[in-house]
Amino acid sequence: MFKKILIANRGEIACRVIKSARKMGIATVAVYSDADRNALHVKMADEAVHIGPAPANQSYIVIDRIMEAVRQTGAEAVHPGYGFLSENRKFAAALEAEGVVFIGPPSGAIEAMGDKITSKKIAQEAGVSTVPGYMGIIEDAEDAVKISQQVGYPVMIKASAGGGGKGMRIAWNDAEAREGFQSSKNEAAASFGDDRIFIEKFVTQPRHIEIQVLADTHGNTVYLHERECSIQRRNQKVIEEAPSPFLDAETRRAMGEQACALARAVGYASAGTVEFIVDGARNFYFLEMNTRLQVEHPVTELITGIDIVEQMIRVAAGKPLPFKQLDLKINGWAMESRLYAEDPYRGFLPSIGRLTRYRPPVEGETIGGGIVRNDTGVYEGGEISMYYDPMIAKLCTWAPTRDAAIEEMRLALDTFEVEGIGHNLPFVGAVMDHPRFVSGDISTAFIAEEYPDGFLGATLVPVLTRRIAAATAAMNRVAEIRRTRISGTLGNHERLVGDDWVVTLQGSEYTTRIDADREGSTVGFADGGALRVTSDWVPGQPLARLMVDGVPLVLKVGKIPSGFRIRARGADLKVHVRTPRQAELAKLMPEKLPPDTSRFLLCPMPGLIVNIAVNEGQEVQEGQALATVEAMKMENILRAERKGVVKKVSAKAGSSLKVDDIIMEFE
Amino acid sequence: MKDILQQLEDRRDEARLGGGQRRIDAQHAKGKLTARERVELLLDEGSFEEFDMFMAHRCTEFGMQADRPAGDGVVTGWGTVNGRMVYVFSQDFTVFGGSLSETHAQKICKIMDMAVQNGAPVIGINDSGGARIQEGVASLAGYAEVFQRNIMASGVVPQISLIMGPCAGGAVYSPAMTDFIFMVKDTSYMFVTGPDVVKTVTNEIVTAEELGGAGTHTKKSSVADGAYENDVEALAETRRLIDFLPLSNRDRAPVRPFFDDVARLEESLDTLIPDNPNQPYDMKELIGKIADEGDFFEIQKNFAANIITGFIRIEGQTVGVVANQPMVLAGCLDIDSSRKAARFVRFCDAFEIPILTLVDVPGFLPGTGQEYGGVIKHGAKLLFAFGEATVPKVTVITRKAYGGAYDVMSSKHLRGDFNYAWPTAEIAVMGAKGAVEILYRSELADREKIASRTADYEDRFANPFVAAEKGFIDEVIQPRSTRKRVARAFASLRSKKQTNPWKKHDNIPL
């Protein structure tokens, strides 16, 4: 076995690899850029080597820098993580040339699976089900129409070198095929400098389901079952689970065996993932093979009990896999939520900055008998920088059933405290409560279909708001009693805290009466019902863990005048708790609408105004560029949402603005 | 007998109706509560004891004798806020538009006199059209009687003004002399002369809101210390503020049970200071992490944001915080921030509230705007305020403490009791670049030499140890342990006694 390995990556995956290496008694070397000097992976590793400036193209993906670090530390092997150099054939070759082991597949396999057309051909030859389509190069638009007719509409027209939705069109008829071919070709030429196009069947109700494979250098290849990764936002996976709620044993076995066949066909050794697209009738088609460790591998580890990183290292050291296909059973259900530093209330714009508070849920076994696992590369007081992937953590839960795993995830998300930056915790929290997600009836279009106008915060069901009302009524009583214990009160004339409280939240009003005793409070409602609330919460604690009628409830608690800001289950609520008289008077207060900002161009993110493209008094058309804001080294052009006349320009080039600062006003 | 008792109830019912149901409804329609409703929300339920409910005016001009409503447009009395005594007056806009008559003023004066005598804060709720014109000079006399009491009560009991409607003309000067003014957005305004007069005299066209609304006074003029969405919120937050304040200058700052760890370590503070010395960070994070339960009541949040002022609790006891804010103007001192902080420091000193000063200050803001505006005198106010304060004073320098601003910010030399610095502190006469340009003027042409001189200067002076060697810094502390160290420092100062030489009063540069 190796004595020392280097991890050519950063963030949570570097930390993840270090953990397995440490468990195996292998020393670890981290590499870091200027921006990662204080990063968690650097603290965790036994040694760390600085490899250059913050931008990845000057540090993490510069092969020479990594090679230099390898030489300097004498690492015997390198784990590339995912992204960066993980699927770079030249990197694998460079390591090989110096006799350093690449903890990943042979470079031939990387190359074979690296190109969409080649990989599909190999897959077909290996007997893997592929999407019906035309593999050759398409000459012109008429050729494209003919092929589309053969494949059968709807078809997908795709750039061979494509990715991220670029150079991709869906056509439902001849005219669309003709037009789509031309625009895909143009886009492909512009984006990738490679205008080769292919056409394939467009799969409806598509699900993204992938098979984890493991192969060693002794001819053993196994599959670790599937992961369902259909919950995606613009091709970025957000929630993954294993197993899939959709597959039956037969389909699972067929997909697994085909994935292994493909791995064998390319002489695969290490961990890899074969991605399939599965339609509503459980027809599955090969998409691509990722020749690396996948971000979402923890869910597979949780249902199989296998440490995939450990196996990758062992395979790289020439060891055989210690299990056979028959040993690999599915145990329970695992969910993964990817926590991104993306503000869901602002169209998921990346949010950078300091984590003023970062308290993940406690890992390990839960009181409900489940498991919580959190793979992270950050810490409280650390910085989310503009240079890298905005992922904060991968929060996983395991439980015997899917429903229980979801419930564990809800609690874990509610317990997860992240402050200082915008993040998608509320969004994944909302998805976990979404009836369609809970039913398992999902597709890759889930987010686009269910949140067509973006995410505005979750609306909680009445059962839940009532529980929160009971909880906050009880909490408020504790806070009010503390207030009366202040020094300097008028003896014998102290304030007595009453039992009647009116709670308003999310547009509902609950009239409650609290009957408190030593252990907790029974909160009675006007309709005669009551909820029993117990908790060890004391004023000032940002997290309240409660039991409401025997069911756990976790709330993030902030203070607002006469009440609390409560965050839970993807909702961000203003909860007012008032005496009946206060509530009566509060009703007299006018509803204040948030100021109408449609007449203003507001700065969507903290940044620097590069230029203002219009003048006061100028008429602008919908879509016209108004100003450019530089944020995170990116120039963002702000455009007019509708036709109008510029009344006043408040910002000028060079000014540095905060979120929602006014840039200009329209008439 | 029963009839006589009933008569009292009937009279009370009538008095409670103020200007009648129609006017009460009109008040509600404007989104405002009535004078009595406000008192109800301000005080503990059922704790209000009213004075002079039946007092009526004595005016006989303009047919006024025909209309003598009980109470004369102001509700006065005392009650408790979380069990602690306060005095209150609340002007009733439904009675003669809340206008101030001679008797109206007498009612206010009565409770102010009692407040000073008995040592409890005065809270004034202002909602008045101004002087009662029918009474002429008697009304003006009434204002002046109130003013004189505001002045005498200043520094004896805390005085808080809530502006919950119009407050114009001479009427503004009573709130102006109180310790804190809070306004309600959209329904209150304050000005000496209204939009009509402004238009006549200067041809300026301006709305009441622009001239003297909550936005104007919290952001531009700094007349008000805060603004709230509505009456209910303003009154709830006033109760919260009162919990921070001592009842009088004969009392200590209040203490209440707290649920926080005195020795709580905050490892994240070790990375609060960015690697790049020119990068800002949010000083409020540090305040929140030092305070009990992260609870901070900020004063003048929207004015001169380059300095932060407000109240926190440490070990349950109120502490006033003054902190430079690197996020705004790099945290420098200027006219506005000096005035804002000076007034706050003097309030704390007057009422025995210990002061915590957090320092990251690159110096005073340069420029003609500042010099012409008199930054010398205004800056001196803060220097004066810190220097004369005899309350416990703990200072923590987190990063920059340059030049005269270092002296000003509650330095050791101004009788600071505990002057701590983080290892990231740079206590120097100025930044390295500026210093080198002066010290090595002849070498300015040689970039390399200047760079090495700058590096040398940084090595030697950009740290807290030069000051620590001289005893100007009592101890260099780890950022993570700031709460614990500050709490222990204040604990050790609980029986601090310090007095200034006898004087009639000082002559702070106003």
Side-chain angles (χ1 to χ4, degrees), chain A residues 92-114:
Chain A
L95 289 170
E96 204 176 326
E98 299 207 14
V100 178
V101 179
F102 177 69
I103 304 175
S107 61
I110 299 177
E111 190 175 9
M113 294 292 107

Side-chain angles (χ1 to χ4, degrees), chain A residues 221-348:
Chain A
T221 305
V222 296
Y223 62 92
L224 276 63
H225 309 295
E226 80 281 8
R227 292 186 287 261
E228 163 120 29
C229 317
S230 296
I231 306 295
Q232 308 183 349
R233 202 185 63 79
R234 297 197 188 135
N235 294 320
Q236 183 194 58
K237 295 168 186 169
V238 181
I239 294 168
E240 297 104 334
E241 59 186 296
S244 161
F246 190 58
L247 293 195
D248 50 39
E250 184 51 36
T251 317
R252 175 174 298 124
R253 193 184 49 76
M255 288 171 74
E257 284 174 0
Q258 289 190 15
C260 288
L262 177 60
R264 279 187 211 104
V266 293
Y268 207 85
S270 193
T273 298
V274 181
E275 295 190 343
F276 290 96
I277 190 161
V278 181
D279 73 12
R282 291 198 183 83
N283 296 309
F284 59 91
Y285 308 105
F286 169 75
L287 269 184
E288 61 178 345
M289 180 169 187
N290 292 320
T291 55
R292 54 169 160 82
L293 183 65
Q294 202 88 333
V295 175
E296 58 273 23
H297 73 276
V299 287
T300 300
E301 296 186 326
L302 283 167
I303 60 158
T304 59
I306 288 165
D307 180 337
I308 295 174
V309 173
E310 179 185 350
Q311 293 307 324
M312 286 178 83
I313 296 171
R314 285 173 48 90
V315 167
K319 302 262 194 260
L321 293 176
F323 39 73
K324 297 267 179 275
Q325 188 63 52
L326 282 174
D327 304 328
L328 297 167
K329 301 273 186 291
I330 296 176
N331 173 29
W333 213 285
M335 283 280 159
E336 173 176 282
S337 297
R338 295 195 192 185
L339 247 54
Y340 286 106
E342 290 177 344
D343 193 338
Y345 305 113
R346 294 176 180 280
F348 293 91

Side-chain angles (χ1 to χ4, degrees), chain A residues 120-191:
Chain A
K120 202 172 167 186
K121 272 188 185 148
I122 297 172
Q124 246 170 5
E125 285 157 17
V128 178
S129 162
T130 58
V131 183
Y134 182 70
M135 310 289 285
I137 303 301
I138 299 159
E139 291 304 319
D140 56 26
E142 288 319 308
D143 202 12
V145 170
K146 214 184 297 163
I147 291 160
S148 298
Q149 287 169 350
Q150 283 164 13
V151 171
Y153 290 107
V155 297
M156 170 95 84
I157 302 168
K158 265 172 146 177
S160 174
K166 276 213 177 98
M168 212 187 260
R169 291 287 184 284
I170 296 159
W172 295 79
N173 53 48
D174 290 356
E176 285 177 13
R178 199 169 287 127
E179 207 231 76
F181 172 77
Q182 204 51 55
S183 48
S184 286
K185 202 174 167 71
N186 294 346
E187 226 172 272
S191 304

Side-chain angles (χ1 to χ4, degrees), chain B residues 180-254:
Chain B
F180 300 105
I181 297 178
F182 297 98
M183 296 180 74
V184 179
K185 290 178 193 166
D186 306 324
T187 47
S188 74
Y189 52 85
M190 289 178 87
F191 35 66
V192 175
T193 49
D196 295 341
V197 180
V198 169
K199 195 180 166 206
T200 317
V201 178
T202 69
N203 285 321
E204 255 182 303
I205 296 171
V206 64
T207 62
E209 180 66 25
E210 281 170 323
L211 187 61
T216 300
H217 287 312
T218 51
K219 291 173 196 157
K220 289 199 178 105
S221 74
S222 82
V223 164
D225 296 282
Y228 298 104
E229 288 303 323
N230 56 48
D231 286 10
V232 171
E233 189 183 305
L235 293 159
E237 286 298 282
T238 302
R239 286 175 62 87
R240 189 175 150 231
L241 172 62
I242 290 167
D243 285 352
F244 281 98
L245 306 181
L247 296 177
S248 75
N249 65 346
R250 313 196 279 270
D251 259 27
R252 315 219 75 178

Side-chain angles (χ1 to χ4, degrees), chain B residues 312-367:
Chain B
I312 61 171
R313 291 187 183 84
I314 294 179
E315 297 185 52
Q317 183 169 45
T318 307
V319 169
V321 178
V322 177
N324 307 112
Q325 171 58 290
M327 303 273 278
V328 180
L329 290 172
C332 72
L333 289 177
D334 60 0
I335 294 171
D336 290 346
S337 58
S338 301
R339 278 202 305 120
K340 168 180 165 180
R343 182 162 170 79
F344 182 77
V345 167
R346 280 169 63 89
F347 176 82
C348 291
D349 188 45
F351 290 102
E352 280 306 313
I353 297 171
I355 299 169
L356 171 64
T357 308
L358 304 174
V359 184
D360 185 351
V361 63
F364 277 94
L365 183 66

Side-chain angles (χ1 to χ4, degrees), chain A residues 342-358:
Chain A
E342 290 177 344
D343 193 338
Y345 305 113
R346 294 176 180 280
F348 293 91
L349 274 177
S351 172
I352 55 165
R354 183 176 152 79
L355 286 165
T356 57
R357 194 169 175 87
Y358 178 79

